[in-house]
Amino acid sequence: MPVLEVENLQKYFPIKKGFFQKTINHVKAVDGVSFHLNAGETLGLVGESGCGKTTVGRSILRLTEPTAGKVLYKGRDLGQMDRETLRKTRTSLQIIFQDPFSSLNPRMNVGEIIAEPMKNFQILSKTETRRKVEDLMTRVGLRPSQMRRYPHEFSGGQRQRIGIARALAVDPDVIICDEAVSALDVSIQAQIINLLKDLQKELNLAYLFIAHDLSVVEYISHRVAVMYLGRIVELAPDQELYKNPLHPYTKALLSAVPIPDPLANTEESIILSGDVPSPVNPPKGCTFHPRCPMAMDKCQTQPLYRQIQPDHWIACHLYP
Ligand code: SF4
C-alpha cells in the first residue's frame, strides 16, 4: 500500500470584493490532482512558478484546507480524522521549506529548535531528548557542540540541515521538500540532496520533492509529475520522462533545461508562445491549448488524465 495517496485534490482560493466581501470568483490553484507515493520513494513535482505545486504540498499537510479531494496516509483519510487524531498523524508527514532562515525561530537555539516537535508530540525525558537532538545533529552533518548556537550563526546550507533535523525529530514517513534547495548555492544544493538521499536509504523515507529546477529533480526523483495550471499533465518514472517526454508541455519544459555542453545538443529548444493563462479563468478544454504547438480542434475539450503505459500517466488528446 502506498504511504500517501492523493485523490482529485482541489484548492480554490476565493476572490472577494466590495463592502460585504462577496465572493466574485476563485483562483483555481489546484484543480484535480491525483498521485501516490510509496515508502522509500521520491516523487518530483515540477512546473513553472504559480502552477500550484506548493499549494499541493500545503493542502496535503492541511496547512491550507483543501476545497475537495482526499489525502490518504497509509489508507486513512486525513479529512475524516478528528482534530486530535489528525494532530498525531501529522507528525508522520513533515515539511522542509525553501527558506530555512524564516522557518527557524531566531530566538531559539538549535537544540531547542530541534527538540520543539519532540516536546509537542513525544514523551521523552530531558536526557533522552538531548541524546536524540545530538544524534539528529550528527546525522545531518552538524556538530552536537553547536547545539547552543542560534540560526543566524549558521550558513544557508547549515540552516537547511537544521530544518531537516527538526523534520526528522518526530520520526516521519513522508517529508514534503518544498523548494528545499532552491535558495542554496549549487555546491551546497548537491550536499543537501546527497544528505536527503542518504537519509532516505537509512530511514525508508518518502519524499514529495517540489521544485522548478528540472536537473535537481532528475537527480533525486524516482518518478516525476509535471504540473500546468493546477493539474498534473504527465507523470512517469524519472528516466522515461526525461528521455521520452510525451506531453507537449513536458517536451517544452525539458527542451529549456541548460545542458553542460551546448555544442553537443542536437535538440532544438521549444519556445512556447504567450504567457501562462490566469488560474482565475483558465482556458476551456485542455488548459495548455492556447500555447500548444500541437493543438487541434478536439483540444477544446478537456483530455482525460489516464495511464497509457505502465506507470506513465498523461492528459493529452495526442495519445488516445
Ligand atoms: Fe496540446 Fe491538445 Fe495535447 Fe493539450 S490536448 S497538450 S492542446 S495536443
Side-chain angles (χ1 to χ4, degrees):
M1 180 197 290
V3 68
L4 186 75
E5 291 163 273
V6 174
E7 294 175 8
N8 205 19
L9 189 70
Q10 288 181 347
K11 178 64 194 179
Y12 293 178
F13 293 101
I15 302 171
K16 296 182 185 278
K17 208 179 168 189
F19 183 72
F20 293 107
Q21 288 290 289
K22 206 172 151 206
T23 301
I24 52 160
N25 211 335
H26 288 92
V27 177
K28 294 173 180 161
V30 177
D31 198 10
V33 162
S34 302
F35 61 84
H36 70 270
L37 186 59
N38 297 314
E41 179 195 42
T42 302
L43 175 69
L45 189 58
V46 298
E48 292 162 288
S49 61
C51 70
K53 53 193 189 302
T54 288
T55 310
V56 169
R58 296 180 69 85
S59 303
I60 290 171
L61 295 177
R62 286 191 140 66
L63 297 175
T64 177
E65 198 57 32
T67 307
K70 277 187 188 173
V71 177
L72 308 176
Y73 168 70
K74 293 188 174 170
R76 288 179 298 145
D77 188 348
L78 297 188
Q80 298 299 315
M81 290 178 185
D82 59 60
R83 203 177 256 244
E84 190 50 25
T85 316
L86 180 63
R87 198 182 80 92
K88 284 185 183 146
T89 309
R90 272 193 44 196
T91 58
S92 304
L93 305 153
Q94 292 293 309
I95 186 164
I96 304 169
F97 295 101
Q98 172 176 6
D99 180 1
F101 198 47
S102 60
S103 63
L104 302 177
N105 187 337
R107 283 184 290 274
M108 290 169 104
N109 66 37
V110 172
E112 290 166 338
I113 289 171
I114 299 173
E116 193 187 24
M118 292 183 229
K119 286 183 182 152
N120 290 340
F121 294 103
Q122 294 178 343
I123 307 156
L124 296 177
S125 69
K126 253 188 175 177
T127 320
E128 286 169 327
T129 304
R130 191 189 164 87
R131 244 185 245 138
K132 192 162 179 184
V133 170
E134 285 174 354
D135 174 50
L136 286 166
M137 289 185 76
T138 311
R139 235 179 210 177
V140 300
L142 294 166
R143 290 194 308 276
S145 59
Q146 296 170 311
M147 202 187 283
R148 302 228 170 274
R149 295 206 187 158
Y150 288 83
H152 71 270
E153 296 176 73
F154 291 87
S155 67
Q158 286 175 318
R159 285 200 284 262
Q160 200 52 293
R161 288 174 192 269
I162 298 168
I164 295 169
R166 186 181 55 179
L168 293 176
V170 279
D171 309 316
D173 298 308
V174 177
I175 298 186
I176 295 177
C177 305
D178 185 7
E179 301 276 7
V181 296
S182 307
L184 305 174
D185 291 344
V186 176
S187 61
I188 309 294
Q189 276 189 358
Q191 290 173 15
I192 297 294
I193 287 171
N194 287 332
L195 170 65
L196 288 170
K197 283 181 125 184
D198 291 345
L199 290 169
Q200 181 169 58
K201 264 192 223 144
E202 208 179 309
L203 305 169
N204 202 28
L205 295 168
Y207 297 138
L208 178 64
F209 195 86
I210 299 169
H212 62 273
D213 185 332
L214 289 146
S215 322
V216 171
V217 170
E218 182 182 16
Y219 182 64
I220 194 168
S221 303
H222 299 101
R223 292 183 300 136
V224 179
V226 179
M227 274 189 81
Y228 184 78
L229 264 188
R231 291 183 185 146
I232 293 180
V233 293
E234 186 167 8
L235 189 157
D238 160 60
Q239 285 306 308
E240 193 173 322
L241 189 108
Y242 279 77
K243 287 207 177 107
N244 183 27
L246 297 179
H247 195 283
Y249 179 62
T250 315
K251 286 184 183 178
L253 264 191
L254 289 176
S255 80
V257 175
I259 58 157
D261 179 7
L263 294 176
N265 185 18
T266 50
E267 302 276 325
E268 279 204 13
S269 266
I270 303 169
I271 312 286
L272 293 176
S273 58
D275 294 324
V276 180
S278 161
V280 178
N281 288 309
K284 294 247 173 328
C286 172
T287 51
F288 186 55
H289 84 259
R291 304 174 77 199
C292 179
M294 313 294 287
M296 46 196 160
D297 286 348
K298 66 173 165 185
C299 301
Q300 302 291 331
T301 59
Q302 191 178 322
L304 210 65
Y305 177 65
R306 68 210 180 282
Q307 192 168 210
I308 54 158
Q309 287 163 23
D311 218 13
H312 196 147
W313 295 73
I314 195 164
C316 176
H317 287 305
L318 288 173
Y319 305 94

